Amino acid sequence: MNWALARLIAGQICIHACMAGMRMAAPLLALRQGYSAAAVGVLLALFALTQVFLALPAGRYADRHGLKRPVRHAVVAAVLGAGGAFAWPVFPMLCVAALLTGGATGAATIALQRHVGRAAHDATQLKQVFSWLAIGPAVSNFLGPFCAGLLIDHAGAQAGGTGGFRAAFALMAVLPLATWFWVRTAQELPSVIAAAGGPRQRAWDLMADVGFRRLLIVNWLLSSCWDVHTFVVPLLGYERGLSASVIGSILGAFAIAAALIRVLMPLVAERLREATVVTWAMGMTAVLFAVYPLLPTALALGTCSVLLGFALGSVQPMVMSLLHQITPAHRHGEALGLRLMAINGSSVLMPLLFGSASALIGVSGLFWMVGATVGLGSRVAWRLGDRGQSS
């Protein structure tokens, strides 16, 4: 990993940590102010909702303007969102902050991913750089909530008081400024212009490409597995009588394993074939989902969580590498926008579906249903190689 890539990863960590910290602190403040669990659920959904609607415009904007201008606008939006929560820590402002920080993170992520992918020279480099870049969200998902939690408990006159929350929001407003510090010196890449005289292209035209459709289906299936694991493990732990700290440790082990596999992948990138890795990950996920509900102890659940982290953590770098090989260079931003829109749309809708399904078929049944679907989808993943390696 070179210094230029390290700076971009640092920039991604800072703006993503802003959203992650807000996503933890804002619901806690809303609960403290007496708002219902339903209101908190709406607040959490707003972090992903903005990205659903802004992903495509943000992708097109990145295709036209490159890296710095989209990131600069994202930094301004994130600072305004977190800064607004600092100035007016009331529920309506928290909702606005969720919309602004969520949308800003999505737009910045698209611009950074597009830039990093275009800077790579071949398929091996694509796998390497996206493995490094994928470490950023894992770090920021720890850094943002951890720092916000410390400030909430210790910065105010009393633990959990409004002063502590305002201190946390102030820090979240500063973090995006650090993103601009890291990104502002990046070297812009030459623009890629579409051939003149062709028909007007629409984002959904990308769906006509068989390889791109397969990639989105596979990415959606595996993203749903990530969501269902986060949703169901607390329910499963509660059924087993596990404490909150043990349940948190199981989820934490999953996150650490997902980050660790991304650290190791660049070292063996030359030997990895994208379709093979994704197919292996889907098969392993199906098997682990089959046995997960049958495990009786916290240690067994934790071990399964680590293995699942290895499987699901290996997917994103491979998907991103294939996406940049499959799609035209002048439409990478649009393709990234479509992908982000699908993932965040899933994150908004899937928890509602999971809740209904678990009430009907139970927690174990939900694991088995999703695992069977992913196992069947592995055939689609294997066929990714028909197009991804030849593009």
Side-chain angles (χ1 to χ4, degrees):
M1 178 169 56
N2 57 41
W3 178 239
L5 179 59
R7 291 178 69 91
L8 295 179
I9 293 172
Q12 182 194 32
I13 288 172
C14 291
I15 197 165
H16 198 282
C18 167
M19 183 191 70
M22 291 295 298
R23 195 167 52 196
M24 188 275 288
L28 288 179
L29 180 58
L31 290 171
R32 180 178 178 274
Q33 293 174 344
Y35 287 90
S36 66
V40 171
V42 170
L43 175 60
L44 284 170
L46 294 178
F47 285 97
L49 189 63
T50 325
Q51 299 185 43
V52 175
F53 295 104
L54 285 184
L56 272 178
R60 293 193 189 103
Y61 194 80
D63 281 333
R64 292 196 303 269
H65 299 291
L67 173 68
K68 293 182 187 178
R69 191 181 296 185
V71 171
R72 184 166 61 242
H73 293 331
V75 166
V76 171
V79 170
L80 288 176
F86 163 76
W88 301 285
V90 295
F91 188 76
M93 188 63 234
L94 296 180
C95 292
V96 173
L99 291 169
L100 286 172
T101 56
T105 302
T109 297
I110 289 171
L112 286 163
Q113 289 173 340
R114 177 186 177 277
H115 180 86
V116 167
R118 287 200 57 220
H121 300 300
D122 53 39
T124 297
Q125 275 199 357
L126 280 171
K127 288 175 281 192
Q128 289 174 332
V129 297
F130 281 119
S131 295
W132 289 120
L133 195 65
I135 298 169
V139 174
S140 57
N141 280 331
F142 167 77
L143 183 66
F146 178 75
C147 294
L150 285 179
L151 290 172
I152 290 169
D153 285 341
H154 301 293
Q158 58 180 358
T162 302
F165 280 99
R166 296 184 77 167
F169 295 146
L171 175 61
M172 297 305 109
V174 171
L175 283 173
L177 298 176
T179 293
W180 183 243
F181 170 80
W182 292 115
V183 173
R184 62 189 174 86
T185 57
Q187 184 68 41
E188 287 281 12
L189 300 173
S191 299
V192 180
I193 308 298
R200 184 176 181 272
Q201 294 178 318
R202 298 172 299 175
W204 294 107
D205 294 339
L206 290 169
M207 298 297 292
D209 186 285
V210 175
F212 187 73
R213 285 204 307 272
R214 290 173 182 163
L215 190 63
L216 276 192
I217 291 170
V218 167
N219 199 186
W220 175 77
L221 284 172
L222 290 164
S223 176
S224 297
C225 290
W226 200 295
D227 289 337
V228 78
H229 181 259
T230 303
F231 178 84
V232 173
V233 165
L235 301 180
L236 195 63
Y238 180 79
E239 286 185 356
R240 300 284 194 276
L242 303 178
S243 67
S245 60
V246 171
I247 294 172
S249 298
I250 292 171
L251 291 173
F254 171 84
I256 292 171
L260 180 60
I261 193 67
R262 291 169 179 176
V263 172
L264 297 176
M265 287 176 73
L267 306 178
V268 293
E270 291 184 4
R271 304 176 186 176
L272 300 178
R273 181 173 175 265
E274 292 94 334
T276 302
V277 173
V278 175
T279 304
W280 168 85
M282 294 184 80
M284 185 173 179
T285 298
V287 172
L288 292 171
F289 269 34
V291 302
Y292 217 121
L294 306 177
L295 301 176
T297 66
L299 180 60
L301 290 171
T303 302
C304 196
S305 184
V306 168
L307 295 175
L308 190 63
F310 286 143
L312 294 180
S314 67
V315 170
Q316 183 179 333
M318 301 297 105
V319 167
M320 298 301 294
S321 173
L322 280 171
L323 183 145
H324 279 76
Q325 296 175 60
I326 288 172
T327 56
H330 66 280
R331 306 192 72 186
H332 283 168
E334 277 186 301
L336 289 166
L338 275 174
R339 173 185 172 273
L340 191 65
M341 184 175 69
I343 290 174
N344 282 283
S346 174
S347 294
V348 172
L349 296 176
M350 282 297 128
L352 302 176
L353 178 61
F354 295 155
S356 301
S358 63
L360 290 174
I361 62 178
V363 173
S364 299
L366 180 59
F367 259 125
W368 294 330
M369 180 184 71
V370 174
T373 304
V374 172
L376 292 173
S378 61
R379 182 173 178 270
V380 178
W382 182 253
R383 295 182 68 187
L384 287 172
D386 298 344
R387 176 71 183 271
Q389 298 301 318
S390 60
S391 299

